[in-house]
Amino acid sequence: MIIISQMATMISRSFLFGRYERKVVKNVLQFNYCRNSTKLPRFIRTSTSLSNTSINNETPESDVVSDEIPKNTSKKSIESPLLKQLQAIIRFNGPLTLHNYMKEVLINPVSGYYMSNDMFGPEGDYITSPEISQMFGEMVAIWIYNEWYKMGSPKPFQLLEFGPGRGTLMKDILRVLQKLGLKESDMTVQMVEMSLHLIEIQESNLCDPDAKYECDESVDGYYKHSSTKYGGHNIYWHRNICTVPKEFTFYLAHEFFDALPIHKLIHTEEGWKELLVDLDDSDDGPHHLRYVISRHGTPAAKVYIHSSEIRKELEVCPEAGVVMNDLARRIEENGGAALIMDYGHNGTETDTFRGFRNHKQQNPLQEPGTADLTADVDFSYLRQQTEDHCVSFGPVSQAFFLKNIGIELRLQNLLKTSSHEQQRNLLSGYKMITSPEQMGERFKFMAIFPAVMKEFLTKFPPAGFHRNISTDEEDKVIMNRHKDN
Ligand code: SAH
């Protein structure tokens, strides 16, 4: 079995020595290591969103159709294009559940947040780990290779990513898998993405400009097909997992589940009720929308509360449950594994829904469609959806995972051949993704494997989920050595 640290060294060495590799070194060094470390990740919560927002506890009359003419609203926040649409829906149907509000705001086909923005760029709204440091994707690649090797290196296999953003994580993974010897025919890449705009960006980052692609939903289910410039693998884009072939697959989700819509449920003296979004036509409200609590128990309040629930309010993400359940069945029937990477908790948090715009928190009701909306992932809920078919590991912290895969080794090797400026970027990127005060603790990793592998995995646990090499000491040595940078 290949030892993880050997692999980290292998990719480092192969990037650093030899004639052919020299060319790669140059390419590797051309990557912007610290891709944007001055920007803020969106897991940061300066204050909880709802506790800071006045909720109108009165029963909304708008459970019934409201056809009131809005009053003069000049003091209110700017009216975004999506607002008019939301106002019309609420006037016609009554208040929206937070779930339907979030869904409209994020993936409305015309003016949804993900449909036209490049939220990750320097002018964007937040920054994610793969965008901060190439080492993040490299460690994930080593994990995939290691687990695939342990399973007997079945070929061909699929590498699937949910919500790939700009395709940066996939790019770094493919670079490493190519260096580790995976050939064109060994693997296909499957991307599950709703946003046609982001698909364009992913394609330009992952494929040659002259790569041919088909765009025909009637052909085998996928709606776009090309080949990658990192190994020539076939790459397919899907709107959801239903059209992805049922084969041996490694599933990845980085900051995907936190973007799925949630219901917010609140326990009152009259039982569980739901938080809704209603019109605010009053003069004093800062926005055109406001929160209200449902008059009665809604379907979500009836269906999603577990009898053992002790929290007085909570957030539930039904889509996350559906995706995890499907994924678990596929892993059981066709083999493979999943790696879920996100900020979240183990069924303990109550109020995490928030908006992000231009690296600052924004009230989720302000100018809908202009800010990202997100809620922490409930890992205990994700795990429950897989328990009948799969065995799970974690969640462990991002720092724990990355360090046990061997990020320090990779960092040391990169530092040796970098310029002063690059060293500074490398170190600040490393610090940002691993330090407990930044992204190291709040981000978690969870892995899912077929239940039949339970015994095997007890003997040979998945990489990154058990203590492997001494890390904290090494960390201090590296940071001290480069303190002056
Ligand atoms: N994984 C990337 C991007 C995270 S942002 C990174 O970490 O940098 C969330 C991603 O999920 C975006 O690509 C967004 O378009 C996609 N997404 C959001 N809702 C989705 C849905 N319901 N189905 C598929 N993709 C979705």
Side-chain angles (χ1 to χ4, degrees), residues 457-470:
L457 289 167
T458 313
K459 278 196 208 140
F460 307 105
F465 289 86
H466 60 107
R467 197 161 285 284
N468 186 19
I469 42 175
S470 148

Side-chain angles (χ1 to χ4, degrees), residues 13 18 48 72 88 108 134 156-157 162 247-248 253 258 262 264 276 316 339 348 361 364 386 425 430 439 462 473:
R13 286 219 190 97
T48 49
N72 179 358
N108 176 292
Q134 67 178 76
F157 71 97
F162 290 102
E247 289 169 17
F248 186 101
D258 70 81
I262 54 153
K264 167 98 191 179
L276 306 172
V316 192
L339 190 63
T348 49
Q361 235 172 279
T386 67
N425 286 340
Y430 167 79
M439 300 167 93
E473 281 310 306

Side-chain angles (χ1 to χ4, degrees), residues 167-179:
T168 309
L169 174 61
M170 188 55 82
K171 178 161 98 176
D172 289 332
I173 292 172
L174 292 179
R175 267 194 309 111
V176 173
L177 293 184
Q178 195 181 11
K179 288 307 296 176

